[in-house]
């Protein structure tokens, strides 16, 4: 029997991404988030997956590898959803928001864990207007880690999710692997909310 591919989630929240990985057959080794309520919810959603309620800036990659039993380069996938409040068009878009720099913590974990693949999710506001300089800095940092990196703005409504939700995705594959970052093809047909909740009266 083949081992399941492994994933670690940074800024894991309540486990939205983790649900997708679980449905895809991944073995989640650890989730980390600073919000205690999010971690409590994550624990209820995934009772067999350890979750650390910690500030990621205080977590060392060696500590994670010792806990999970991984060696550098063994992790299949590192997932990260850094805070988006500073970038979002729904917020103040403060370029000095300290949370904007938490992207660099993901870079630190990529360099320390050397996963085969990383996936980072954020808002498309990161690519727009005065945030474009920050976007370029992040992209440069990601490419300097020794990964082939691509990014794409996608709408989840074209990927079997009954919700119009535009997101920016960074996808990186370690350069020693004979593979390129590839995004799935969008669907032409979309699911509507009433398709998955037929019992609700949507008048």
């Amino acid at each position: 029997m083949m081992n399941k591919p492994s994933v670690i989630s940074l800024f894991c929240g309540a486990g939205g991404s983790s649900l997708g990985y679980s449905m895809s057959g991944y073995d989640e080794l650890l989730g980390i988030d600073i919000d205690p309520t999010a971690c409590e919810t994550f624990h209820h959603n995934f009772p067999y997956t350890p979750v650390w309620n910690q500030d990621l800036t205080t977590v060392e990659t060696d500590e994670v590898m010792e806990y999970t039993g991984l060696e550098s380069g063994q992790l299949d996938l590192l997932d990260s959803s850094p805070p988006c409040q500073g970038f979002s068009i729904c917020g103040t878009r403060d370029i000095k928001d300290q949370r904007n720099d938490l992207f660099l913590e993901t870079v630190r974990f990529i360099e320390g864990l050397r996963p085969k693949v990383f996936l980072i999710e954020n808002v498309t506001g990161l690519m727009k207007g005065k945030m474009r300089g920050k976007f370029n800095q992040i992209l440069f940092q990601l490419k300097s880690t020794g990964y082939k990196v691509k990014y794409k703005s996608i709408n989840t409504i074209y990927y079997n999710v009954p919700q119009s939700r535009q997101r920016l995705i960074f996808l990186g594959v370690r350069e020693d692997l004979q593979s390129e970052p590839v995004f799935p093809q969008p669907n032409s047909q979309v699911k509507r909310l009433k398709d998955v909740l037929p019992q609700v009266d949507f008048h």
Side-chain angles (χ1 to χ4, degrees):
M1 183 176 179
M2 295 181 62
N3 291 329
K4 292 182 177 180
S6 56
V7 59
I8 289 175
S9 293
L10 311 180
F11 310 102
C12 64
S17 296
S18 300
L19 178 60
Y21 292 124
S22 175
M23 293 171 67
S24 299
Y26 277 77
D27 180 17
E28 184 149 17
L29 305 180
L30 180 65
I32 305 174
D33 200 281
I34 195 172
D35 189 298
T37 303
C39 288
E40 183 179 357
T41 305
F42 184 100
H43 176 69
H44 283 292
N45 287 332
F46 306 98
Y48 302 108
T49 300
V51 58
W52 290 358
N53 179 203
Q54 288 185 237
D55 180 346
L56 199 67
T57 63
T58 68
V59 180
E60 298 296 331
T61 56
D62 287 346
E63 179 184 5
V64 170
M65 286 191 289
E66 180 179 359
Y67 180 81
T68 58
L70 290 170
E71 295 182 3
S72 178
Q74 285 187 327
L75 181 66
D76 290 300
L77 174 61
L78 180 67
D79 172 81
S80 182
S81 297
C84 64
Q85 291 92 332
F87 306 124
S88 176
I89 58 173
C90 296
T92 59
R93 290 178 61 77
D94 181 3
I95 203 162
K96 295 182 180 180
D97 191 322
Q98 293 182 344
R99 292 171 295 188
N100 296 348
D101 292 328
L102 288 172
F103 247 103
L104 301 180
E105 292 301 311
T106 301
V107 173
R108 179 171 67 88
F109 269 75
I110 292 170
E111 293 174 333
L113 298 179
R114 305 303 297 166
K116 296 172 185 175
V117 175
F118 69 75
L119 187 150
I120 305 173
E121 174 268 341
N122 214 273
V123 293
T124 57
L126 175 56
M127 297 190 295
K128 299 173 182 176
K130 62 183 178 181
M131 293 298 172
R132 186 72 192 190
K134 194 69 178 177
F135 169 82
N136 290 334
Q137 177 195 3
I138 290 168
L139 186 59
F140 175 81
Q141 292 277 359
L142 291 174
K143 288 184 173 180
S144 69
T145 58
Y147 283 73
K148 292 167 278 190
V149 181
K150 291 184 180 178
Y151 64 90
K152 187 175 183 179
S153 173
I154 68 172
N155 192 320
T156 58
I157 199 170
Y158 300 113
Y159 296 87
N160 298 322
V161 178
Q163 179 190 41
S164 181
R165 190 175 181 85
Q166 198 76 31
R167 279 295 181 268
L168 171 63
I169 304 294
F170 294 93
L171 189 59
V173 176
R174 212 169 57 210
E175 287 183 350
D176 63 294
L177 302 177
Q178 302 301 312
S179 186
E180 294 289 329
V182 177
F183 288 92
Q185 291 297 314
N187 298 325
S188 56
Q189 282 194 319
V190 301
K191 286 185 178 180
R192 299 165 296 177
L193 195 58
K194 66 180 181 180
D195 295 329
V196 294
L197 296 175
Q199 71 277 17
V200 178
D201 182 7
F202 287 102
H203 66 277

